[in-house]
Amino acid sequence: MPARVDAFVRYAADPDPLVRRPAIEAIGIFLADGERAARVLGERLSAERGVVERLLIVRTMARLAVRLPQTGPTAAAWLDDLIDGPARPHTDAPVRLSALIHRFLIDPKRDTVDPVPRAIALLREITETPTAENPCNGCSCCQSSVHVRGRHVAPTVRPAHLAADFVDPEHPWKVHSPISSVLRALHTALGDRVEDRTALLIAQLTSPDAATRYDAIAMAKDLPDSLPRPVLTHLLDLLPDDWAAAEITRALGRWRGRGLPIATEDTDLLLDTLTDYMANLRTARGPDVWSTDNPLVRTAYQEAVMTLADHHDLAPFPT
């Protein structure tokens, strides 16, 4: 493969994004000349317009620094320029966020660095889900969507352009935003720094971008110990969104064997909120909401019933 790196460099500029993506990664894996690889990646970032590809270039540059340590200073300086260099368009916020997090990940002194406040500030700049202009040549998966309370949201199936990045048998979850990969990497790197992770997760759950909020629901499952009260509160605040409600109630169900761990002192808050949520659904949709045709509402209501029953709280149910 190293003998064919010139072909990968050509493919990295191919008009088809499905050709460019693996070629970009191949440059970081197989090109033995680290300085040339860094130069090619830098040139590709300037030429690239698709957000998915731009995020991939940033990640590949960071991985190049790990594979070839002598390239580390060049990669670090390049990432620093993305973060703090000349003013960039508002739409570049995902790229700057990715650069910030990958710079933190390759920093040998990262235990003394706190990237969370800056990451939150960049996250606030992302107001809608970043996608490539043509993520997968318009296949049926990427064109499909779920109608939620009068608006269209990202596909509930995993888009083809993200599938390879998120296959994790230990943590199967649906992906809606390309930035979620790097946010999850930051959570992993922060480890037991629960206060920092809580602040980051709250920023995700309150993001103006719906896709970022949806992916944050799954990330809440990976927090150590019981769910912090602020995270639980912001999760419950999302219940009016049908898609979020279906995912949250599924995640809360201990009867499934691996629900979100709720602190004993927060149990009443959880049960009271779910009881009110179910009452609102019955008022809005009638007593047969359990079997409504809307699959999201049906799932959320049934999961809420199971969670209440799991806690031996049968008060909301008719005798």
Side-chain angles (χ1 to χ4, degrees), residues 1-227:
M1 298 296 282
R4 294 173 170 81
V5 291
D6 288 339
F8 290 126
V9 172
R10 291 196 304 274
Y11 293 147
D14 192 272
D16 186 347
L18 294 182
V19 174
R20 295 201 304 275
R21 291 169 198 151
I24 289 167
E25 290 191 285
I27 289 170
I29 296 172
F30 299 118
L31 193 53
D33 184 341
E35 293 302 320
R36 182 190 176 196
R39 184 173 64 255
V40 170
L41 291 172
E43 292 170 352
R44 282 309 312 153
L45 185 70
S46 300
E48 188 59 67
R49 292 296 175 264
V51 173
V52 172
E53 289 76 27
R54 289 166 68 80
L55 293 175
L56 181 59
I57 290 168
V58 173
R59 186 181 71 180
T60 302
M61 182 71 83
R63 290 182 173 179
L64 178 68
V66 175
R67 182 175 71 90
L68 300 173
Q70 67 272 23
T71 313
T74 300
W78 185 80
L79 293 170
D80 286 339
D81 182 65
L82 284 179
I83 301 165
D84 295 315
R88 297 179 182 276
H90 174 77
T91 53
D92 259 8
V95 175
R96 293 170 60 208
L97 175 63
S98 180
L100 174 74
I101 294 174
H102 281 107
R103 182 67 177 87
F104 170 71
L105 295 177
I106 67 172
D107 191 339
K109 299 179 181 179
R110 71 184 188 190
D111 290 341
T112 63
V113 177
D114 182 9
V116 173
R118 185 73 179 277
I120 291 174
L122 289 170
L123 194 58
R124 292 297 185 204
E125 295 184 27
I126 301 171
T127 57
E128 61 183 15
T129 305
T131 58
E133 292 178 1
N134 298 294
C136 61
N137 292 334
C139 75
S140 59
C141 289
C142 287
Q143 292 296 319
S144 64
S145 63
V146 172
H147 192 64
V148 181
R149 289 200 184 280
R151 69 181 185 279
H152 288 281
V153 297
T156 56
V157 296
R158 179 176 289 122
H161 64 281
L162 299 177
D165 296 337
F166 296 96
V167 175
D168 184 351
E170 296 298 322
H171 301 279
W173 56 298
K174 299 169 185 174
V175 175
H176 297 86
S177 171
I179 66 169
S180 292
S181 173
V182 70
L183 287 170
R184 191 171 190 181
L186 178 56
H187 275 288
T188 301
L190 291 172
D192 59 0
R193 293 164 61 173
V194 176
E195 185 175 346
D196 288 337
R197 293 184 65 182
T198 297
L200 178 61
L201 196 55
I202 290 173
Q204 294 172 246
L205 290 169
T206 57
S207 169
D209 170 38
T212 299
R213 297 195 301 271
Y214 295 159
D215 287 343
I217 296 169
M219 293 188 209
K221 299 178 184 179
D222 293 333
L223 286 177
D225 303 321
S226 298
L227 207 62

